[in-house]
Amino acid sequence: MATQFDFFFIAKQLAQVRFHVEQDSQVSFHSLSGTGALAVMAERTDAIAYLLQSPRAEDASYRRWLAERLLHISMRRSEFTYKLVPKLNLNWSERLEIAIREIAAVIPTGKRFILVDENQWGAEIFPEFDALPFLEHEGQYWGAPSDDETAIRELERMRDCGASFMVIGWPAFWWLDYYSQFRNYLNSNFRCILHNSRLVVFDRTTAKHSPFEYRSYSTLWTPALCLGSG
């Protein structure tokens, strides 16, 4: 079905389901020792494999979007399997250390940049830079934007204040799905200089089309799962 049709999220309650702690779905999918989440990730990977074989995959930007979904699945898998097999994947601190080195490699020392991390990293881990939270109010983190227009307006305000780069860390990768107009605005106006499963970095000093063009396609799963929560 995923190769032929778009899937849409209906933002209203359609049914009520009763759960209890000994139910198979609760044990498999919601307990710390359950492996249901890995099964869901495997199904999503299979779905992307089928989509890559579909006529829609002739569109290069669509293939890029599917690649982004695979990176997101890989990130979530690493976080989940680390709890089960700690030595199999990098832990949070190790990934963050790599991300810090990557930022230092692409942003000149002393530069001011916007940090989109949902306040999970914190600007204090970047002593060689002037890192500003986003959204920001009087130097403090002010939560996620209420809509795309707010995000774009605040982005331009902070750009006028000298923020030359924007760093989006993996805790806020869901923004690139949820705030689609904001995402498209970034990719249409600024150059993407780094993009991996830990970071997306935009150079805001030059207005150049990004080679990593995001387009708004319907997601294969509901936003609650896409957002990287739990």
Side-chain angles (χ1 to χ4, degrees), residues 50-229:
Y50 282 110
L51 289 171
L52 285 170
Q53 301 175 58
S54 72
R56 297 186 70 183
E58 295 177 2
D59 185 340
S61 59
Y62 184 69
R63 293 197 302 272
R64 184 70 203 181
W65 179 80
L66 291 176
E68 289 306 310
R69 305 282 58 77
L70 284 175
L71 284 173
H72 181 83
I73 292 172
S74 178
M75 177 192 70
R76 299 295 295 132
R77 180 198 59 79
S78 295
E79 292 179 354
F80 184 82
T81 54
Y82 176 76
K83 299 175 183 178
L84 301 176
V85 189
K87 294 183 179 180
L88 182 62
N89 296 288
L90 297 174
N91 62 31
W92 176 283
S93 297
E94 291 168 335
R95 294 179 69 204
L96 184 55
E97 288 177 5
I98 295 173
I100 291 172
R101 292 198 298 269
E102 290 173 329
I103 291 171
V106 296
I107 300 180
T109 301
K111 286 289 186 178
R112 173 174 291 181
F113 69 81
I114 298 169
L115 177 62
V116 184
D117 68 339
E118 297 215 305
N119 207 36
Q120 294 194 38
W121 292 358
E124 63 276 1
I125 68 172
F126 302 101
E128 298 180 353
F129 301 94
D130 184 8
L132 300 175
F134 190 80
L135 298 175
E136 177 268 345
H137 179 70
E138 297 182 352
Q140 301 300 314
Y141 176 64
W142 212 246
S146 57
D147 51 38
D148 290 277
E149 292 182 359
T150 300
I152 294 171
R153 183 176 63 249
E154 286 301 297
L155 172 70
E156 290 305 319
R157 178 185 69 81
M158 297 178 73
R159 185 187 186 196
D160 292 341
C161 293
S164 304
F165 299 85
M166 169 171 272
V167 174
I168 303 175
W170 78 79
F173 273 1
W174 66 269
W175 285 37
L176 298 174
D177 282 326
Y178 188 78
Y179 299 106
S180 58
Q181 294 178 35
F182 177 63
R183 172 198 67 214
N184 292 338
Y185 183 81
L186 287 172
N187 284 284
S188 296
N189 292 280
F190 307 108
R191 188 164 58 97
C192 181
I193 58 175
L194 179 62
H195 185 230
N196 57 38
S197 61
R198 293 171 294 278
L199 298 166
V200 179
V201 182
F202 289 95
D203 180 353
R204 306 176 66 246
T205 62
T206 56
K208 181 179 180 181
H209 289 288
S210 168
F212 304 114
E213 180 187 358
Y214 290 83
R215 287 173 57 182
S216 181
Y217 292 100
S218 301
T219 54
L220 301 178
W221 44 84
T222 65
L225 292 175
C226 264
L227 304 190
S229 57

Side-chain angles (χ1 to χ4, degrees), residues 36-49 73 77:
L38 287 175
V40 171
M41 293 175 199
E43 289 180 357
R44 291 175 178 172
T45 302
D46 289 346
I48 291 175
I73 292 172
R77 180 198 59 79

